[in-house]
Amino acid sequence: MVKIGVLASGNGSNLQAIINACESGVISGAKVVIVLSNHRDAYCLERARKHNIEGIFVDPKEYENTEKYSQKLSELLKEKQVELVCLAGYLLKLGNSLIKQFENKIINIHPALLPKFGGKGMYGHHVHEAVLAAGEKESGCTVHFVNEIYDSGRIILQKKVPVYDNDTPDTLAKRILEQEHKAFPEAIKIVINNQF
Ligand code: GRF
């Protein structure tokens, strides 16, 4: 059974898609064993508790820097024997020590077609605003491995959506999010089948 750890900062709809896929057998032979968040009242933690999954708020303010914070995350993940780490709407940069300890075992979902519209500061609505400002005719989401440089790890899969002339960041984000909920479980299956 491949043990999955999820890091999430907010609502956790991608987390929910992963939990549902594991519980329904869409992703067979894997389960989410821990959810870590940097926000005390993030709904992702509530989603974990509803599925009897350990959900832990790890307060960034209690750690003097990114590396120390990441070390705590790593300890919690290792305690649960996590083999695959999923960043599901996780907005903090990971420390290099954590990335090294889980090399090629951390995957992230980004709401655009990387390598375009990625990198520092490109998250949430900033991404969709940039895509619309650039006049793109399509956008989508990318699931990729995480390395030390933002949004630049090996791409596992992408799903595309059309961009309409009357789109707003909200309407585009909603269209992409629907695809994210399909892309993340599919990407986990690919990684699990190829690497475990
Ligand atoms: C998604 O749009 C994802 O692409 C981005 O943050 C959002 C997370 O949404 N990284 P949720 O918390 O999974 O609902």
Side-chain angles (χ1 to χ4, degrees):
M1 180 66 78
V2 174
K3 294 184 175 70
I4 297 173
V6 179
L7 276 54
S9 297
N11 176 35
S13 69
N14 275 289
L15 163 68
Q16 191 67 58
I18 296 167
I19 291 172
N20 295 349
C22 290
E23 291 186 350
S24 65
V26 166
I27 300 175
S28 61
K31 65 176 177 176
V32 178
V33 295
I34 190 167
V35 176
L36 303 177
S37 184
N38 55 309
H39 288 304
R40 183 185 306 278
D41 54 2
Y43 191 63
C44 59
L45 293 175
E46 182 57 27
R47 291 181 191 269
R49 290 176 196 126
K50 283 183 177 170
H51 288 265
N52 299 316
I53 298 168
E54 191 172 5
I56 304 176
F57 162 59
V58 186
D59 188 352
K61 294 191 187 68
E62 289 179 10
Y63 301 85
E64 61 185 277
N65 58 43
T66 297
E67 282 305 328
K68 292 252 192 311
Y69 185 71
S70 287
Q71 207 42 52
K72 177 63 180 174
L73 300 182
S74 183
E75 284 164 23
L76 291 167
L77 292 165
K78 286 186 184 298
E79 268 168 36
K80 303 292 279 193
Q81 294 93 37
V82 165
E83 298 161 89
L84 179 63
V85 182
C86 295
L87 309 185
Y90 187 67
L91 298 181
L92 295 187
K93 176 119 182 62
L94 297 184
N96 290 343
S97 58
L98 173 57
I99 294 170
K100 272 270 165 287
Q101 285 168 36
F102 287 90
E103 189 144 22
N104 287 329
K105 299 258 190 278
I106 307 175
I107 61 178
N108 177 54
I109 192 158
H110 182 76
L113 297 174
L114 294 175
K116 295 173 78 172
F117 305 105
K120 197 161 168 46
M122 291 304 271
Y123 60 88
H125 272 45
H126 300 297
V127 177
H128 309 306
E129 284 156 8
V131 166
L132 294 172
E136 298 289 334
K137 292 302 169 209
E138 66 177 13
S139 189
C141 58
T142 304
V143 186
H144 63 95
F145 284 102
V146 171
N147 60 23
E148 287 82 352
I149 305 159
Y150 255 132
D151 296 335
S152 66
R154 182 159 52 92
I155 290 174
I156 300 162
L157 71 78
Q158 297 185 307
K159 287 195 177 293
K160 295 182 178 178
V161 300
V163 178
Y164 300 121
D165 293 343
N166 60 347
D167 262 326
T168 64
D170 271 339
T171 58
L172 181 54
K174 187 171 176 299
R175 192 174 308 125
I176 292 172
L177 195 58
E178 284 169 20
Q179 295 307 312
E180 291 177 42
H181 298 159
K182 298 176 193 161
F184 221 149
E186 279 178 37
I188 291 170
K189 280 177 76 169
I190 290 168
V191 171
I192 285 177
N193 294 339
N194 294 355
Q195 279 197 335
F196 293 94

